[in-house]
């Protein structure tokens, strides 16, 4: 690289910056001028430190937890043993007491093409106390390993709680940076809301499920200590008829259990939980959602149940975004938007998090529900009763960044940037939540995008960035 090509690209960036500035003036939204250094996104090799198998005979690995009931008094502990089934039990005790208790789970195995899984254990520990630190041990009878978690405070309207947002993580060097930045963020997320696309094992020949195991070992350092709330993405489908695998979601459903029955759901792909002051609804972009389908009927009955006096914050997770101004997966979420958006406006959803597009984007509060085929009203309009839509598919998987954006930036798009990162949704009380997005290139405390959310039920005043800075 000579100095000549360097100055050329600088000039190019200056011109690009001017063009983007003009776009900003025309449209109100912001396309970040941050330019990430171009590096290839590659998966960490199998012998990486983060994939190391814990030592000892039949040692539990890939340990992860998630909420195990509707209210936060149960925790599902999951782990894998490789040598023999071993014990299905979890021994646990609260930090206040030396009384050890035992919960019994079950284990499963599955085959995928020529891969045979280890023994995948799931154990739901119920009737825990709120707001308490518990230690737990798995691997009873062989090699034991000890971890801990903290249960959430009792459900209630003004309970502060801090959620992390991660999507489309994969297992590249960038994925490791994203997870490290999440862990090191001084805002200290207490639970991860994961918007789908976990391991990306399906990018390997025959969807090499060894990459599901490495992903489980990679994420253990966070997921064994705080719950990750799972959403299914397209990389969880694992539909591979060419190698005889026609049952969708087989690795995902064997490895990641969720408390779907506790919210009256009939399938693990859509469900809800309450946690502190939040009501979280998880939807499936890859299950039927049309009228009369199980997911539709469930959501139709679910939304009226949300009691904003008990849980002021109504958060929805899904994989495929409804509002996305990148030239990747453009309009893939459109048919689901048409089905459910009127409900989100009616029930005043505060925020919708999605992934799928490997970049970051935050929308204004907008809705697009007036169109009726003949009236021509097909442009999103500002709507203070509508959610903010956030695409957070920027975890850093091997497919790389989505950089190509639709131009000009649509008016509904408040901020967009093609960088890897994570976000924090920090609920302060029933009226206020502080949201921030953190790109991997910055220091751990740096916020590249942020917004004060005003609750749509308790404090529905205009919270757009322009209104707040007036
Ligand atoms: C355990 O101790 C913590 C902190 O001291 C306290 O907040 C919590 O209520 C206690 N839990 C139980 C079950 O006693
Ligand atoms: C599965 O098949 C692939 C391709 O034929 C091969 O590379 C791999 O080693 C096989 N794995 C097992 C566990 O047999
Ligand atoms: C491993 O643990 C299981 C369950 O406690 C026990 O039945 C088995 O004998 C142990 N295996 C060895 C080799 O110690
Ligand atoms: C992943 O990140 C952790 C924590 O920053 C670091 O210790 C480890 O060496 C990294 N591994 C790889 C393969 O990048
Ligand atoms: C909503 O929750 C509040 C607080 O828990 C409770 O007092 C009220 O009865 C609930 N409303 C309904 C309709 O269940
Ligand atoms: C960006 O996407 C558009 C629409 O798909 C396409 O026409 C264009 O060639 C792409 N630009 C680049 C640089 O890939
Ligand atoms: C809610 O939190 C915000 C932000 O911290 C604060 O300004 C406001 O006073 C709080 N409201 C109440 C009722 O405490
Ligand atoms: Fe995806």
């Amino acid at each position: 690289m000579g100095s000549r090509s360097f100055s050329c690209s600088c000039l190019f960036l200056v011109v690009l910056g001017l063009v983007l500035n003009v776009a900003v003036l025309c449209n109100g939204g912001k396309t970040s001028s941050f330019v990430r250094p171009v590096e290839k996104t590659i998966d960490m090799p199998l012998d990486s430190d983060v994939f190391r198998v814990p030592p000892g005979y039949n040692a539990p690995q890939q340990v992860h937890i998630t909420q195990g009931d509707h209210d936060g008094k149960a925790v599902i502990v999951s782990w894998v043993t490789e040598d023999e089934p071993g014990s299905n039990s979890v021994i646990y005790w609260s930090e206040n007491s030396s009384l050890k208790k035992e919960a019994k789970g079950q284990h499963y195995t599955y085959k995928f093409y020529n891969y045979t899984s280890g023994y995948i254990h799931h154990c739901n520990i119920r009737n825990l106390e709120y707001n308490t630190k518990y230690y737990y041990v798995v691997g009873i009878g062989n090699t034991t390993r000890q971890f801990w978690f903290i249960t959430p405070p009792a459900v209630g309207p003004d309970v502060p709680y801090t959620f992390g947002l991660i999507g489309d993580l994969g297992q590249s060097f960038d994925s490791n940076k994203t997870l490290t930045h999440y862990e090191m963020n001084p805002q200290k997320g207490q639970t991860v809301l994961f918007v789908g696309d976990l391991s990306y094992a399906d990018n390997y020949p025959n969807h090499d499920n060894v990459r599901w195991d490495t992903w489980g070992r990679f994420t253990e350092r966070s997921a064994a200590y705080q719950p990750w709330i799972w959403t299914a993405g397209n990389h969880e489908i694992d539909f591979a008829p060419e190698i005889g695998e026609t049952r969708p979601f087989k690795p995902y459903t064997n490895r990641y259990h969720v408390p779907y029955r506790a919210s009256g759901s009939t399938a693990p792909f859509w469900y809800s939980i309450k946690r502190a002051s939040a009501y979280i609804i998880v939807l499936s972009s890859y299950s039927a959602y049309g009228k009369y389908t199980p997911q539709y009927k469930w959501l139709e009955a679910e939304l009226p149940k949300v009691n904003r006096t008990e849980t002021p914050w109504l958060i929805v997770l899904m994989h495929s975004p409804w509002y996305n101004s990148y030239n990747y997966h453009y309009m893939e979420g459109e048919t689901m938007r048409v089905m459910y958006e009127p409900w989100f406006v009616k029930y005043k959803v505060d925020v919708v998090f999605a992934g799928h597009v490997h970049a970051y984007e935050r929308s204004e509060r907008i809705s697009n529900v007036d169109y009726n085929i003949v009236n021509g009203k097909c442009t999103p309009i500002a709507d203070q009763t509508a959610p903010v839509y956030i695409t957070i598919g920027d975890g850093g998987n091997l497919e790389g960044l989505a950089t190509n954006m639709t131009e000009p930036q649509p008016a509904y798009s408040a901020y967009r940037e093609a960088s890897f990162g994570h976000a924090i949704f920090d609920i302060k009380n029933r009226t206020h939540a502080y949201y921030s997005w953190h790109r991997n290139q910055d220091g751990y405390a740096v916020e590249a995008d942020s917004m004060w959310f005003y609750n749509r039920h308790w404090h529905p005043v205009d919270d757009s960035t322009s209104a707040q800075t007036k």
Side-chain angles (χ1 to χ4, degrees):
M1 288 289 151
S3 61
R4 190 159 156 225
S5 70
F6 178 70
S7 56
C8 282
S9 56
C10 275
L11 181 65
F12 170 72
L13 290 182
V14 169
V15 173
L16 182 69
L18 290 175
V19 171
L20 293 178
N21 270 331
V22 171
V24 168
L25 291 178
C26 293
N27 300 287
K30 184 177 172 191
T31 297
S32 170
S33 57
F34 181 88
V35 179
R36 179 182 176 273
V38 180
E39 302 158 47
K40 223 172 136 44
T41 309
I42 52 168
D43 269 0
M44 295 181 281
L46 289 174
D47 61 357
S48 297
D49 50 2
V50 293
F51 298 151
R52 213 173 278 144
V53 174
Y57 175 76
N58 210 32
Q61 54 167 278
Q62 308 174 45
V63 181
H64 55 92
I65 63 171
T66 195
Q67 185 162 317
D69 65 355
H70 204 229
D71 298 337
K73 292 182 81 174
V75 170
I76 300 172
V77 177
S78 307
W79 71 98
V80 176
T81 54
E82 289 290 348
D83 302 314
E84 59 167 296
S87 170
N88 291 327
S89 291
V90 178
I91 307 280
Y92 65 98
W93 62 96
S94 96
E95 69 172 336
N96 308 352
S97 120
S98 53
L99 179 67
K100 297 196 173 173
K101 294 186 179 177
E102 180 175 353
K104 273 199 169 35
Q106 283 181 300
H107 70 265
Y108 306 78
T109 59
Y110 74 91
K111 288 186 195 303
F112 193 97
Y113 188 56
N114 65 349
Y115 168 93
T116 302
S117 75
Y119 305 95
I120 304 169
H121 302 254
H122 300 282
C123 176
N124 200 344
I125 310 178
R126 296 177 185 278
N127 301 315
L128 297 166
E129 298 291 333
Y130 284 121
N131 208 18
T132 301
K133 183 170 184 175
Y134 285 89
Y135 294 94
Y136 69 98
V137 170
V138 287
I140 314 300
N142 307 141
T143 303
T144 58
R145 293 180 69 208
Q146 183 178 317
F147 304 87
W148 54 263
F149 57 77
I150 298 170
T151 51
V155 170
D158 291 298
V159 186
Y161 204 75
T162 309
F163 291 100
L165 278 307
I166 301 179
D168 303 68
L169 184 58
Q171 47 192 301
S172 75
F173 289 96
D174 292 291
S175 320
N176 195 32
K177 280 185 198 139
T178 302
L179 185 55
T180 304
H181 276 243
Y182 171 62
E183 293 171 304
M184 301 301 281
N185 190 321
Q187 290 180 81
K188 290 267 164 282
Q190 296 166 288
T191 290
V192 170
L193 304 179
F194 192 88
V195 295
D197 283 359
L198 285 61
S199 74
Y200 287 75
D202 61 348
N203 277 8
Y204 284 83
N206 305 325
H207 301 211
D208 186 2
N209 275 223
V210 167
R211 282 285 176 177
W212 273 104
D213 292 314
T214 53
W215 197 80
R217 295 199 290 272
F218 158 51
T219 50
E220 179 189 274
R221 72 182 202 237
S222 171
Y225 299 93
Q226 61 171 254
W228 285 39
I229 307 304
W230 302 110
T231 309
N234 53 306
H235 288 277
E236 279 65 73
I237 301 173
D238 281 310
F239 173 66
E242 63 284 2
I243 53 173
E245 295 296 344
T246 54
R247 199 187 112 192
F249 299 108
K250 195 182 190 185
Y252 174 68
T253 50
N254 273 285
R255 290 166 184 274
Y256 294 90
H257 279 194
V258 299
Y260 65 96
R261 288 191 190 89
S263 56
S265 168
T266 47
F269 313 111
W270 59 90
Y271 64 100
S272 70
I273 59 164
K274 299 179 202 174
R275 202 163 176 89
S277 45
Y279 200 102
I280 296 158
I281 293 180
V282 177
L283 295 180
S284 174
S285 304
Y286 306 101
S287 304
Y289 46 75
K291 200 162 182 179
Y292 316 121
T293 61
Q295 183 168 211
Y296 180 101
K297 284 184 167 277
W298 177 83
L299 185 60
E300 183 181 39
E302 178 70 5
L303 284 164
K305 290 181 193 160
V306 181
N307 178 347
R308 303 296 274 272
T309 302
E310 189 188 32
T311 50
W313 294 94
L314 179 50
I315 299 172
V316 176
L317 312 180
M318 61 179 67
H319 186 62
S320 188
W322 292 358
Y323 289 97
N324 153 39
S325 73
Y326 287 80
N327 276 322
Y328 300 84
H329 307 305
Y330 187 64
M331 288 183 77
E332 277 183 30
E334 185 65 5
T335 49
M336 193 196 224
R337 182 191 69 73
V338 169
M339 292 311 298
Y340 295 156
E341 190 182 24
W343 290 347
F344 283 21
V345 174
K346 177 177 178 191
Y347 292 100
K348 300 188 172 67
V349 171
D350 289 293
V351 57
V352 177
F353 292 105
H356 203 33
V357 179
H358 301 157
Y360 173 69
E361 184 163 26
R362 173 172 59 83
S363 82
E364 304 287 359
R365 291 197 185 277
I366 34 104
S367 67
N368 191 7
V369 295
D370 291 341
Y371 183 50
N372 70 359
I373 302 280
V374 290
N375 65 5
K377 294 183 182 173
C378 53
T379 306
I381 54 163
D383 184 347
Q384 284 299 315
T385 56
V388 169
Y389 293 88
I390 292 175
T391 302
I392 187 84
D394 53 355
N397 67 76
L398 79 170
E399 292 176 356
L401 272 177
T403 50
N404 187 345
M405 306 174 188
T406 64
E407 300 294 353
Q409 182 171 17
Y412 66 74
S413 171
Y415 184 100
R416 56 184 189 173
E417 178 178 326
S419 294
F420 294 133
H422 74 277
I424 298 280
F425 192 79
D426 189 10
I427 298 174
K428 304 291 187 190
N429 52 37
R430 75 182 67 189
T431 53
H432 286 63
Y434 187 69
Y435 167 80
S436 55
W437 175 68
H438 305 261
R439 69 166 83 87
N440 287 357
Q441 285 76 16
D442 294 332
Y444 298 128
V446 178
E447 297 166 359
D449 180 39
S450 65
M451 170 179 166
W452 273 104
F453 272 78
Y454 300 153
N455 187 273
R456 288 304 93 184
H457 178 82
W458 289 100
H459 191 51
V461 305
D462 188 349
D463 58 6
S464 60
T465 313
S466 53
Q468 286 185 33
T469 50
K470 258 179 207 147

